């Protein structure tokens, strides 16, 4: 079990700036990966999109962190994906692939991306659920598997992955993956749902920037309102939830 000292209680760690936060995240990534490989022979990780994790990805793809992991035993997944081609600037797959994965000694079979090229988007979401199920050798219509690590970001509106406020996916209780209409962005987004995210052994939020301070306070300290602040849906069943937050983003948390 990778859970920390008290798996039911989130831990909140502050860092002076994004660089030191990203280093701390890289150290934790390596620790969780090595523990997973010892316990289960491989490391299954869900990558986040957005700009915050880019620093982490660059750090992991270069020494010293690069040399700390047997990358041939890592299985890469994504927490969400935009409905754009994989070579589009907005693609979360492209972000992680260019910043990290293409520099690592790993096989294409270890990279489990959304097949955004499938024109029927609900079918593409079901396809991704099937991909996850195959990797864990589970039936695709049963209980979701437990990822070793899920990386998440936080939007200034309180969204995480592509679980946006007042959207259908926030209420999903059964499916692991959905294509979520996001009217406020005039688009649809593929996203993992709370049932599968919350099965993870370790969930790590990476949040930087003063523009996130209000959302950080609302999600961590405010009353529960998961429709308005979907990041509050993230409550691991038995795993460890950790927030790595830089000082500007933590400025409303108080003592
Ligand atoms: C995405 C992410 C999204 C992101 C937050 C924070 O596809 O954009 O999955 O949930 O983590 O929007 O993004 P930043 O890290 O860029 O602030």
């Amino acid at each position: 079990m990778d859970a920390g000292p008290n798996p039911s209680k989130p831990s909140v760690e502050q860092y002076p700036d994004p660089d030191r936060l990203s280093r701390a995240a890289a150290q934790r990534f390596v620790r969780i990966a090595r523990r997973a490989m010892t316990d289960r022979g491989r490391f299954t990780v869900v990558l986040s999109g957005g700009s915050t994790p880019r620093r982490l990805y660059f750090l992991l793809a270069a020494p010293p962190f690069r040399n700390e992991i047997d990358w041939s035993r890592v299985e890469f997944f994504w927490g969400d994906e935009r409905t754009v081609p994989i070579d589009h600037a907005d693609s979360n797959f492209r972000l992680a692939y260019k910043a990290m994965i293409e520099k690592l000694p790993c096989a294409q079979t270890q990279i489990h991306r959304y097949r955004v090229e499938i024109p029927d988007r609900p079918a593409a979401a079901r396809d991704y659920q099937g991909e996850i199920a195959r990797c864990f050798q589970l039936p695709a219509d049963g209980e979701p598997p437990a990822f070793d690590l899920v990386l998440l970001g936080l939007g200034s509106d309180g969204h995480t992955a592509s679980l946006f406020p007042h959207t259908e996916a926030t209420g999903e209780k059964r499916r692991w993956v959905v294509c979520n209409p996001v009217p406020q962005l005039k688009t649809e987004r593929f996203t993992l749902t709370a049932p599968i995210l919350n099965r993870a052994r370790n969930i790590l939020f990476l949040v930087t920037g003063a523009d996130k301070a209000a959302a950080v306070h609302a999600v961590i300290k405010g009353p529960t309102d998961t429709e308005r602040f979907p990041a509050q849906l993230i409550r691991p069943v038995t795993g460890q939830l950790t927030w790595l937050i830089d000082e500007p983003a933590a400025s409303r948390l108080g003592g």
Side-chain angles (χ1 to χ4, degrees):
M1 169 67 78
D2 297 312
N6 178 352
S8 61
K9 189 172 180 314
S11 97
V12 179
E13 300 174 17
Q14 287 189 32
Y15 292 87
D17 55 50
D19 284 337
R20 274 174 276 192
L21 181 145
S22 300
R23 261 177 208 293
Q27 286 161 355
R28 200 173 294 262
F29 185 104
V30 167
R31 193 180 76 220
I32 294 168
R34 294 169 75 104
R35 176 69 184 272
M37 289 178 194
T38 301
D39 292 354
R40 286 171 295 282
R42 70 175 186 175
F43 171 51
T44 57
V45 58
V46 175
L47 302 177
S48 171
S51 56
T52 303
R54 278 174 59 90
R55 279 185 177 86
L56 168 62
Y57 299 155
F58 281 116
L59 281 173
L60 290 169
F65 298 107
R66 173 199 172 90
N67 304 329
E68 299 284 317
I69 292 178
D70 175 358
W71 294 101
S72 70
R73 293 198 284 163
V74 179
E75 301 291 339
F76 295 102
F77 300 84
W78 278 257
D80 66 328
E81 186 55 280
R82 286 85 182 281
T83 48
V84 296
I86 59 172
D87 59 355
H88 190 284
D90 289 350
S91 164
N92 287 339
F93 162 79
R94 182 178 183 279
L95 181 148
Y97 190 78
K98 300 304 282 181
M100 175 174 63
I101 297 173
E102 68 174 358
K103 305 169 190 170
L104 298 173
C106 56
Q108 288 302 310
T109 52
Q110 296 170 245
I111 301 166
H112 309 279
R113 67 171 178 83
Y114 294 79
R115 290 207 298 155
V116 294
E117 60 273 23
I118 296 175
D120 177 327
R121 288 178 177 163
R126 289 193 298 274
D127 174 78
Y128 198 59
Q129 182 157 329
E131 175 73 6
I132 294 169
R134 272 190 300 279
C135 187
F136 283 88
Q137 297 179 321
L138 288 173
D141 59 357
E143 283 300 299
F147 291 109
D148 293 310
L149 173 60
V150 170
L151 297 176
L152 290 173
L154 178 70
S156 55
D157 61 353
H159 83 262
T160 191
S162 281
L163 302 170
F164 282 85
H166 310 294
T167 58
E168 289 168 19
T170 58
E172 181 60 44
K173 297 280 186 283
R174 186 178 47 83
R175 290 172 293 174
W176 313 349
V177 189
V178 296
C179 186
N180 188 30
V182 185
Q184 52 268 54
L185 297 181
K186 298 183 177 57
T187 186
E188 292 180 312
R189 293 272 195 93
F190 295 107
T191 188
L192 298 188
T193 60
I196 190 168
L197 291 169
N198 285 331
R199 294 290 297 261
R201 294 184 178 86
N202 297 275
I203 301 177
L204 202 49
F205 271 100
L206 309 182
V207 190
T208 62
D211 62 318
K212 305 293 177 72
V216 164
H217 178 266
V219 169
I220 295 178
K221 297 264 188 178
T224 300
D225 183 350
T226 55
E227 272 296 304
R228 191 160 164 231
F229 300 108
Q232 290 182 331
L233 290 165
I234 307 305
R235 295 186 293 270
V237 178
T238 56
Q240 176 63 46
L241 172 58
T242 303
W243 291 81
L244 303 188
I245 310 175
D246 76 355
E247 282 167 12
S251 60
R252 300 269 294 269
L253 275 184

